[in-house]
Amino acid sequence: MLAKVKGRLRRFLERPASVELTKYEALLPKIADREEDIAKLSDEELTSRVGKLRASERELADDELVEFCALAREAAKRALDERPYDVQLLGVMGMLSGHVVQMATGEGKTLAGALTAAGFAVRGKRVHVISVNDYLAKRDAEWMRPVYELLGVSVGYVGEKVSAEHRREAYASEVCYGSVSEIGFDLLRDRLVTKAEDQVQVPNPAAVALVDEADSVLVDEAKVPLVMAGSAEGVERDADMAEIVRRLRAGVHYEEDEDGRNAWLTPSGAKAVEKALGGVDLYAEDSPYLAAVNVALHAHALLERDVDYIVRDNKVQLINTSRGRIAALQRWPDGLQAAVEAKEAVAATESGEVLDSITVQALIARYPKVAGMTGTAVAVAEQLREFYKLEVAVIAPNKPCIREDELTRLYTTEEAKEDALIKEIVATHETGRPILVGTLDVAESERIAKRLSENDLACVVLNAKNDAEEAAIVAEAGAYNAITVSTQMAGRGTDIRLGGHDEADHDKVAELGGLYVIGTGHYPSSRLDDQLRGRAGRQGDPGGSVFFSSMEDEQLAQYAPEVQLHVLKEPPGEDGLIKDKTARAFVAHAQRVAEGVELEIHRNTWRYTRLIEQQRDIIMEHRDKILHSDVADTLFEKHAPERHKELVEELGAEIVAEAARQILLYHLDRRWVDHLGYTSDVRETVHLRALAKETPIDEFHRAVVPAFNQIVPEAHETAIASFDTVKIGENGAELEEAGLKRPTSTWTYMVYDNPWDSDAEQALKKVRAHVKKVKAER
């Protein structure tokens, strides 16, 4: 195992962090040479010149690439009054080559992405520009539309609230903007329609996924399942169980592991719960209570309000930890979601059975070509290679970055850290220099704001509770005297300009040192730290950054407990500041360990979901044949010839063919839903199946593959039986009368994966050991 890890590390160190773009740098002077002549063209002539470059699914030769970039630069200049810098064109050429380009904040990624999408369209490839939310998708599509029109490329966008017809038109465009969730949900909806004309993405599949905030989408959200659910017997929310668990005391009735990812009842806790439930045996083999108790306990002990979720409008709403804002479409698996809602005594959300789902990683893998852009890609270069076969291309900023990044200030306690942080803000604010404070969660942002108010300082808070105002708040964060407190700055989509959005006081703020970024602690990923830092020093402006940390920070306690045992070579100052270099090194160590844990979760999740995605592709290919051909009619004609002939003579071939299609689609969909439920159950218990020292993933395959192989034969068999019994009339097959009911309603959401599942096998070992201990003590 150690050799494997060392080998992986050696390969990582040997691989270059960035691909060479020397070839494209050599083309920049040639692009500049054409500017003068192209500037003389009329708009119609410019569009016509681009049209001459149009090709069918082939790469542009160097001379054609130079021509396109020169025309694209002129189109942007005319449409937006923005002349793309050389570094932006270098980014365009890097993405057209199929790379993820790293461009610093404020370097014009939105425009570079639009020109790249147009370049792919000119090659004859349909493009989906995938963003992190609906707001950015709509904004960027409308903002860049004049550029696309000058280049003769059609553009559209999809969002949560647009109609099916709007979606159909948008997907028919050469370039379609959309959030990763909405594009994924449309794919799931298309997979469940029973009439071909109801599909919105077909027959216009995209050949290219151009991903904005690529590290966030491709890494942070890679394992997030997008889910299509349908009405069914819901998961019951047990308010009584929540009340029982609420009365339990930590350390007496339940314990938590060191990393706060698992909780379990003590013998005393088990007895207390059994008594509250009327004297049941909680650990009996057929106990219906144990699972409910565990879920309620996890909701009570491990999920914290204003950290993992907020309560707003009488609803539990999850917080996307990598973006610091509401994850509007996300929820936990039904049982846990219901437990948290019971804990907070809010209205229960609708629950039902999963009709289909797809992970973000599997969604992206469907595109023949993937490229992207972000401000922080190098840190995840190895993951992009491992999971997507993508390379990172680093684009130097247009102007050198002169931001001053200080070393982390480490304090002995949380209290000392926060006192020093407030003191730093007060002192800096006296100069008028704008300050951006990056916090780790909502609760902390509100606590910092309260303490600033106690010091007679006004600040603007940007967190998951007021994310609707984020664009206006971010735009003014660089104004003179401004103090902005934000939970996260990743993917905000708005630049912070010195002197405010109109840059009225730019020079005044620049003389003060520019925007000063203060982090209240290190995030679980160095990329998130860099994204916060990157808000200062935009386009060569001055700026500064510093992170405050303490030995009591959760990340240090969880991933670098040895820091507590470290003997300080130099005693802390009176304010609690630790100057010991070795102690400070533990901060970076803890962050690297946190990143490693997240990577292993990603790898483990993909090991299991990869097989299901392959099975899904096979089933959906068969389903498409049923939807778009006479497969079902041929099946029934072969296996129920007399019934088929009789109905054709009575109703006509077209009605019978459609009825056959609906019957077969119902049974295929029903089998697939059942299979998803079965695989979920197997995944939950696979570690228990591996007691004979078989690897869990092998056990998973051994259980799931044979079950999958029965789906199509069983669907055909039951459909043939239904063809003989389902009433078929002028209006087609009357499925509901025969008890073949499809969901009366459907909805979509994203499942936020089990938040404590860092090492399921170890957690289960603890649970099994505990159950054994409880039984032994009886």
Side-chain angles (χ1 to χ4, degrees):
M1 180 66 182
L2 182 60
K4 187 177 181 181
V5 171
K6 287 182 177 179
R8 192 176 282 166
L9 178 62
R10 185 179 63 254
R11 289 194 298 273
F12 173 76
L13 294 173
E14 289 173 352
R15 295 290 296 271
S18 172
V19 296
E20 287 289 336
L21 295 176
T22 308
K23 170 187 175 181
Y24 300 117
E25 289 172 347
L27 299 180
L28 293 174
K30 298 180 181 179
I31 295 171
D33 289 344
R34 301 195 186 191
E35 277 192 71
E36 187 176 345
D37 289 338
I38 288 177
K40 298 174 183 177
L41 299 175
S42 66
D43 288 354
E44 292 76 14
E45 289 171 333
L46 189 151
T47 305
S48 177
R49 282 271 288 267
V50 176
K52 291 177 182 178
L53 291 173
R54 284 192 173 269
S56 179
E57 295 286 338
R58 70 171 178 80
E59 302 290 319
L60 292 173
D62 284 356
D63 190 58
E64 292 174 314
L65 188 57
V66 168
E67 173 80 350
F68 172 76
C69 287
L71 292 167
R73 171 177 270 169
E74 181 63 24
K77 188 176 178 182
R78 294 185 189 185
L80 304 176
D81 195 26
E82 293 183 20
R83 177 186 177 275
Y85 302 121
D86 281 356
V87 292
Q88 286 173 287
L89 295 184
L90 201 57
V92 170
M93 290 186 279
M95 284 186 279
L96 285 172
S97 301
H99 301 315
V100 171
V101 301
Q102 176 171 297
M103 298 175 68
T105 301
E107 291 293 305
K109 290 191 289 292
T110 302
L111 177 55
L115 300 185
T116 302
F120 280 121
V122 166
R123 293 185 187 180
K125 299 177 185 288
R126 200 174 300 277
V127 185
H128 286 171
V129 182
I130 299 175
S131 67
V132 293
N133 60 48
D134 285 353
Y135 163 73
L136 291 178
K138 181 179 180 180
R139 185 203 71 174
D140 293 352
E142 296 299 342
W143 182 14
M144 296 293 127
R145 186 179 297 280
V147 180
Y148 284 113
E149 289 175 346
L150 270 177
L151 295 173
V153 174
S154 59
V155 63
Y157 74 90
V158 293
E160 183 182 0
K161 297 180 180 179
V162 303
S163 66
E165 189 55 39
H166 177 108
R167 294 174 190 277
R168 209 168 281 114
E169 291 176 3
Y171 285 120
S173 302
E174 292 173 290
V175 176
C176 179
Y177 283 75
S179 66
V180 63
S181 58
E182 207 55 39
I183 289 174
F185 290 148
D186 279 336
L187 174 67
L188 294 177
R189 293 184 190 106
D190 275 0
R191 288 172 165 184
L192 291 172
V193 301
T194 56
K195 294 182 180 179
E197 59 268 25
D198 290 339
Q199 294 181 311
V200 295
Q201 291 187 350
V202 177
N204 301 302
V208 179
L210 185 60
V211 187
D212 193 11
E213 300 295 342
D215 56 336
S216 177
V217 174
L218 300 180
V219 177
D220 296 338
E221 295 191 358
K223 60 184 183 295
V224 175
L226 309 174
V227 176
M228 173 71 73
S231 54
E233 293 298 321
V235 176
E236 293 186 7
R237 190 185 75 167
D238 194 336
D240 292 339
M241 193 67 75
E243 184 57 36
I244 291 171
V245 168
R246 191 178 285 117
R247 296 197 294 264
L248 301 180
R249 287 184 294 159
V252 177
H253 297 114
Y254 67 88
E255 295 178 356
E256 299 176 32
D257 59 7
E258 292 179 359
D259 59 7
R261 289 175 178 266
N262 198 29
W264 56 89
L265 294 173
T266 63
S268 176
K271 290 177 182 177
V273 171
E274 289 176 336
K275 182 178 179 180
L277 289 172
V280 302
D281 182 357
L282 197 58
Y283 294 99
E285 287 189 14
D286 58 348
S287 171
Y289 301 107
L290 184 58
V293 171
N294 283 333
V295 169
L297 181 60
H298 282 115
H300 171 74
L302 303 180
L303 296 178
E304 187 176 344
R305 184 168 174 167
D306 287 344
V307 175
D308 301 295
Y309 64 91
I310 67 171
V311 176
R312 184 169 65 180
D313 300 329
N314 198 35
K315 294 179 181 178
V316 168
Q317 296 183 303
L318 276 65
I319 297 172
N320 186 312
T321 53
S322 66
R323 297 186 197 142
R325 67 194 81 173
I326 288 297
L329 297 172
Q330 290 195 17
R331 59 184 286 169
W332 289 296
D334 282 337
L336 182 59
Q337 184 78 21
V340 176
E341 288 164 349
K343 168 188 174 183
E344 297 294 345
V346 301
T349 54
E350 197 171 15
S351 61
E353 63 183 352
V354 174
L355 304 178
D356 201 5
S357 69
I358 186 171
T359 62
V360 170
Q361 181 168 343
L363 171 67
I364 299 299
R366 295 181 60 81
Y367 292 88
K369 194 173 191 69
V370 179
M373 51 194 167
T374 183
T376 46
V378 170
V380 290
E382 188 63 20
Q383 287 160 269
L384 294 175
R385 290 183 188 119
E386 178 178 344
F387 296 115
Y388 301 98
K389 295 181 174 57
L390 289 172
E391 295 293 336
V392 171
V394 176
I395 310 296
N398 184 53
K399 295 180 180 178
C401 179
I402 59 172
R403 184 184 66 243
E404 296 182 4
D405 298 324
E406 297 182 40
L407 294 173
T408 297
R409 298 185 194 177
L410 179 63
Y411 291 82
T412 51
T413 66
E414 183 74 21
E415 183 181 5
K417 179 187 79 169
E418 199 164 286
D419 287 344
L421 186 142
I422 297 298
K423 185 177 179 181
E424 179 78 2
I425 295 173
V426 171
T428 303
H429 180 69
E430 288 177 353
T431 70
R433 185 180 187 183
I435 304 166
L436 173 64
V437 182
T439 65
L440 299 178
D441 54 57
V442 174
E444 186 177 41
S445 69
E446 296 184 341
R447 188 174 67 251
I448 295 295
K450 182 180 178 181
R451 290 201 59 178
L452 290 175
S453 178
E454 291 169 353
N455 283 270
D456 297 322
L457 295 184
C459 68
V460 179
V461 179
L462 176 59
N463 60 33
K465 290 186 176 180
N466 66 337
D467 52 349
E469 296 85 32
E470 68 172 56
I473 294 173
V474 173
E476 292 301 325
Y480 180 78
N481 251 346
I483 301 178
T484 308
V485 179
S486 173
T487 47
Q488 233 305 317
M489 292 304 299
R492 292 289 179 186
T494 304
D495 286 341
I496 298 177
R497 300 175 185 273
L498 295 192
H501 76 281
D502 57 0
E503 300 186 80
D505 293 320
H506 178 279
D507 294 343
K508 185 177 181 180
V509 171
E511 288 177 6
L512 294 170
L515 180 67
Y516 187 33
V517 171
I518 302 176
T520 63
H522 286 282
Y523 295 100
S525 166
S526 60
R527 288 179 298 111
L528 300 181
D529 286 355
D530 291 342
Q531 286 166 2
L532 178 60
R533 283 194 189 97
R535 290 294 171 171
R538 172 187 173 275
Q539 281 289 327
D541 283 333
S545 75
V546 64
F547 279 80
F548 285 68
S549 188
S550 85
M551 294 178 71
E552 293 179 349
D553 281 3
E554 183 180 344
Q555 189 160 282
L556 263 72
Q558 186 170 328
Y559 296 118
E562 59 269 36
V563 73
Q564 309 299 333
L565 304 175
H566 178 69
V567 178
L568 300 178
K569 296 179 181 178
E570 185 177 344
E574 291 184 5
D575 59 355
L577 179 64
I578 297 172
K579 296 182 179 181
D580 188 313
K581 293 181 180 180
T582 306
R584 283 210 305 260
F586 282 119
V587 176
H589 170 70
Q591 190 174 61
R592 287 194 296 272
V593 174
E595 290 173 332
V597 168
E598 190 59 33
L599 175 56
E600 282 308 308
I601 293 174
H602 187 170
R603 285 192 180 116
N604 196 48
T605 301
W606 185 236
R607 289 187 190 107
Y608 287 94
T609 57
R610 185 165 45 192
L611 174 65
I612 306 304
E613 298 304 336
Q614 292 169 349
Q615 293 180 343
R616 177 178 284 106
D617 287 342
I618 294 170
I619 288 296
M620 293 308 156
E621 183 180 355
H622 184 63
R623 194 183 195 278
D624 282 344
K625 288 180 181 178
I626 297 171
L627 192 64
H628 295 281
S629 72
D630 60 356
V631 168
D633 193 50
T634 301
L635 178 72
F636 293 136
E637 185 178 19
K638 178 180 178 181
H639 293 281
E642 294 182 8
R643 168 78 166 153
H644 185 273
K645 181 179 180 182
E646 177 186 328
L647 288 171
V648 169
E649 290 175 352
E650 178 186 350
L651 303 170
E654 189 173 335
I655 291 177
V656 175
E658 180 60 28
R661 181 177 297 115
Q662 296 306 315
I663 292 171
L664 185 52
L665 284 174
Y666 172 84
H667 286 289
L668 183 65
D669 291 345
R670 183 68 257 168
R671 292 298 178 280
W672 178 246
V673 169
D674 291 343
H675 183 68
L676 289 177
Y678 173 70
T679 58
S680 178
D681 290 342
V682 173
R683 178 71 180 90
E684 296 264 339
T685 60
V686 69
H687 294 278
L688 299 177
R689 293 167 177 245
L691 295 178
K693 297 188 178 179
E694 295 286 347
T695 58
I697 188 65
D698 289 340
E699 282 296 300
F700 180 75
H701 284 190
R702 193 171 290 121
V704 169
V705 171
F708 172 76
N709 292 337
Q710 296 302 311
I711 292 178
V712 172
E714 287 181 358
H716 284 200
E717 183 180 337
T718 52
I720 292 167
S722 293
F723 189 68
D724 277 332
T725 58
V726 172
K727 183 179 179 181
I728 299 175
E730 293 290 342
N731 295 322
E734 299 180 7
L735 297 178
E736 288 198 14
E737 286 190 9
L740 309 180
K741 295 181 180 180
R742 286 189 174 275
T744 55
S745 64
T746 60
W747 60 94
T748 55
Y749 59 85
M750 300 171 73
V751 175
Y752 185 82
D753 256 359
N754 194 331
W756 53 80
D757 186 22
S758 64
D759 192 337
E761 188 168 12
Q762 291 302 316
L764 278 165
K765 283 181 180 178
K766 289 180 181 179
V767 171
R768 288 199 297 271
H770 169 65
V771 171
K772 185 177 180 180
K773 178 181 177 182
V774 170
K775 289 185 175 180
E777 292 178 355
R778 298 221 160 169

